[in-house]
Amino acid sequence: EDKVVQSPLSLVVHEGDTVTLNCSYEVTNFRSLLWYKQEKKAPTFLFMLTSSGIEKKSGRLSSILDKKELFSILNITATQTGDSAVYLCAVADPMEYGNKLVFGAGTILRVKS
Amino acid sequence: NAGVTQTPKFRVLKTGQSMTLLCAQDMNHEYMYWYRQDPGMGLRLIHYSVGEGTTAKGEVPDGYNVSRLKKQNFLLGLESAAPSQTSVYFCASSWWREGPNTGELFFGEGSRLTVL
């Protein structure tokens, strides 16, 4: 059975701190790993990773994938209160048509001012 | 550009009642999905569709039915609602399997359903 495990489940930090969110996975077939940010409503796309060791960056956020050890990390530097959200990790397991996304339970991040 | 739109946003049902959630997308995506999100369990796939007129079961299909009569619409039905179906439901759509952002889903804003 496909499984995606995120840790920690939740954390509280102060503005300016750096955080690292973890995602480990076990899937039958791997196509890509995706990170989403979910505030009050719909998840919004952050990164997609397909190759090991190549860091993706967007402003203060960065992510890297290790396909040998089956995990990914999402780093957020100089955190701001606007980073408070649930961060979801998902792995794309290709089906005959399209992709099946298997999601982790998410990490709840709260950034205090 | 509306993206993915879900209706209704909120609904309260009594056990045994039926209802339909409507999802509409204006991005000409082939693939559409229905997920449910419960605390501590992430998003779980209910049903999905790879094109007009086709549907398939996901991870948790029991108690739900779907239809994709038009490419832009994907309907999720509950024939006899149960309290265990209290959840937030998300519709999503995506491009073809092969593409620059393969796997990326575009989500609607969610529909909160409570079954009493």
Side-chain angles (χ1 to χ4, degrees):
Chain A
E1 182 181 329
D2 294 343
K3 189 166 59 173
V4 176
V5 178
Q6 293 185 245
S7 63
L9 291 180
S10 67
L11 73 162
V12 180
V13 301
H14 288 94
E15 271 191 315
D17 287 350
T18 293
V19 298
T20 298
L21 309 183
N22 303 296
C23 176
S24 64
Y25 62 90
E26 294 176 29
V27 295
T28 307
N29 297 293
F30 177 89
R31 175 173 287 272
S32 56
L33 185 143
L34 299 93
W35 285 96
Y36 285 84
K37 178 182 181 182
Q38 185 177 23
E39 295 174 87
K40 295 205 182 294
K41 295 183 178 178
T44 53
F45 175 76
L46 294 174
F47 297 112
M48 184 180 70
L49 304 145
T50 56
S51 302
S52 276
I54 298 176
E55 185 181 51
K56 291 269 183 106
K57 291 198 72 167
S58 177
R60 296 176 293 103
L61 278 67
S62 64
S63 184
I64 197 161
L65 173 68
D66 185 329
K67 290 171 74 173
K68 182 180 177 185
E69 299 298 329
L70 308 183
F71 79 90
S72 173
I73 60 172
L74 175 68
N75 280 320
I76 308 175
T77 59
T79 51
Q80 302 171 357
T81 55
D83 295 327
S84 296
V86 178
Y87 289 85
L88 298 169
C89 172
V91 174
D93 182 345
M95 304 178 291
E96 185 177 349
Y97 301 97
N99 290 284
K100 180 177 79 171
L101 281 197
V102 181
F103 283 85
T107 293
I108 302 170
L109 173 64
R110 182 177 163 215
V111 181
K112 296 170 73 172
S113 57
Chain B
N1 192 355
V4 180
T5 304
Q6 294 180 227
T7 53
K9 300 280 192 293
F10 303 93
R11 184 76 187 268
V12 178
L13 288 176
K14 294 181 179 178
T15 296
Q17 286 185 317
S18 63
M19 75 157 296
T20 300
L21 296 175
L22 170 63
C23 176
Q25 53 95 4
D26 61 3
M27 297 174 281
N28 202 34
H29 285 166
E30 288 295 326
Y31 305 126
M32 297 188 74
Y33 313 81
W34 276 107
Y35 284 87
R36 60 177 288 174
Q37 187 174 36
D38 302 293
M41 300 191 74
L43 287 150
R44 292 181 293 168
L45 182 64
I46 305 171
H47 286 280
Y48 64 96
S49 168
V50 301
E52 183 178 316
T54 70
T55 64
K57 294 180 180 179
E59 186 184 353
V60 288
D62 293 342
Y64 305 95
N65 56 74
V66 288
S67 65
R68 184 110 180 259
L69 299 179
K70 294 183 179 180
K71 184 177 182 179
Q72 64 268 34
N73 296 336
F74 195 29
L75 278 63
L76 178 71
L78 286 72
E79 289 187 347
S80 180
S84 61
Q85 294 177 304
T86 294
S87 188
V88 180
Y89 291 86
F90 285 97
C91 176
S93 67
S94 70
W95 297 108
W96 288 102
R97 179 182 180 181
E98 304 294 336
N101 281 318
T102 300
E104 179 186 352
L105 300 188
F106 296 80
F107 285 89
E109 293 197 335
S111 299
R112 183 174 293 275
L113 176 65
T114 301
V115 184
L116 302 176

